[in-house]
Amino acid sequence: LAKTTQPISMDSYEGQEVNITCSHNNIATNDYITWYQQFPSQGPRFIIQGYKTKVTNEVASLFIPADRKSSTLSLPRVSLSDTAVYYCLAYAFTGGSQGNLIFGKGTKLSVKP
Amino acid sequence: GAVVSQHPSWVICKSGTSVKIECRSLDFQATTMFWYRQFPKQSLMLMATSNEGSKATYEQGVEKDKFLINHASLTLSTLTVTSAHPEDSSFYICSARETAGETQYFGPGTRLLVL
């Protein structure tokens, strides 16, 4: 379970692309990188997950360099509804054992009109 | 797919009473479910890991006799806060991990207020 470091907060405007970078210098070979989004008084929502290079889905893209010591969540053309806290986690898929998630403080993204 | 529900979504109770919160995986089977607690303006803190058919594993500092966890089936885990006190007021969130995969999916959370 690698420790992750993210910016505490970011500001953006509607329509812009937002990139949130996460550092995970001690990531292990078996660790995957996962991003969650959380709105106030709601449970975290899964956004995207990857191991290396680039992953894209209908919501976001995840860029992971070859050394995997960092990753960047890219949100295209954000809207006001993207204002939320974004958590980056790096952990191993350990099958039947724990695989516990340790949440950091996350990045509070504020999108302005 | 991968929907997790919680019930109730919020609950208010008197100090000293017990409260049960249910966590269900609606469209997948989950051998492992997790219970988190989140205080205002803080991150999620893992309380315990619940494995179907076995005893839960509690994180350090979490009283197992106060927070009773039961995971009797592959789609249901319950958390009972016994003899609740005002300091137990918090946002309780569960997550479930698919048997066949490892991504955790979270429930919508339960707001508990103990008066």
Side-chain angles (χ1 to χ4, degrees):
Chain A
L1 186 65
K3 179 182 177 181
T4 60
T5 304
Q6 312 171 226
I8 294 296
S9 64
M10 292 183 68
D11 292 332
S12 181
Y13 292 92
E14 281 191 295
Q16 288 186 332
E17 178 185 75
V18 171
N19 296 309
I20 306 175
T21 298
C22 177
S23 296
H24 25 79
N25 291 318
N26 60 338
I27 191 168
T29 302
N30 295 332
D31 287 348
Y32 280 72
I33 298 151
T34 305
W35 286 80
Y36 289 91
Q37 174 194 56
Q38 187 181 27
F39 298 111
S41 297
Q42 294 187 28
R45 171 179 160 248
F46 171 81
I47 300 175
I48 199 166
Q49 187 173 72
Y51 184 79
K52 63 179 178 181
T53 61
K54 177 183 176 182
V55 180
T56 298
N57 62 22
E58 63 277 8
V59 177
S61 295
L62 177 61
F63 299 91
I64 305 168
D67 65 6
R68 303 200 329 120
K69 293 185 181 300
S70 66
S71 61
T72 299
L73 173 72
S74 180
L75 305 172
R77 298 179 299 282
V78 295
S79 63
L80 296 176
S81 62
D82 292 318
T83 294
V85 177
Y86 292 81
Y87 294 99
C88 163
L89 298 99
Y91 67 100
F93 289 177
T94 54
S97 59
Q98 300 302 313
N100 298 344
L101 302 187
I102 306 299
F103 281 81
K105 296 184 183 301
T107 297
K108 185 173 182 179
L109 173 65
S110 298
V111 180
K112 304 174 182 178
Chain B
V3 178
V4 177
S5 69
Q6 281 185 241
H7 177 79
S9 56
W10 59 269
V11 57
I12 301 174
C13 68
K14 293 182 178 180
S15 185
T17 61
S18 294
V19 174
K20 179 185 283 188
I21 302 170
E22 293 185 348
C23 176
R24 294 181 184 273
S25 57
L26 298 185
D27 51 0
F28 65 99
Q29 293 185 327
T31 55
T32 306
M33 291 183 170
F34 302 83
W35 287 96
Y36 295 81
R37 181 166 53 181
Q38 186 175 32
F39 293 106
K41 298 190 184 300
Q42 294 187 24
S43 189
L44 285 79
M45 294 294 294
L46 179 66
M47 299 176 64
T49 302
S50 166
N51 291 295
E52 186 266 338
S54 62
K55 291 184 178 180
T57 302
Y58 292 82
E59 294 300 301
Q60 190 172 9
V62 178
E63 301 177 56
K64 63 179 182 180
D65 294 330
K66 181 170 183 62
F67 299 99
L68 302 179
I69 292 173
N70 184 283
H71 191 166
S73 78
L74 285 172
T75 59
L76 173 64
S77 176
T78 61
L79 168 68
T80 301
V81 184
T82 62
S83 186
H85 293 286
E87 57 266 29
D88 297 323
S89 297
S90 188
F91 192 50
Y92 292 85
I93 310 169
C94 73
S95 70
R97 187 171 66 192
E98 293 183 81
T99 304
E102 302 297 342
T103 299
Q104 285 190 31
Y105 296 95
F106 288 81
T110 297
R111 176 75 60 188
L112 171 63
L113 177 60
V114 184
L115 303 177

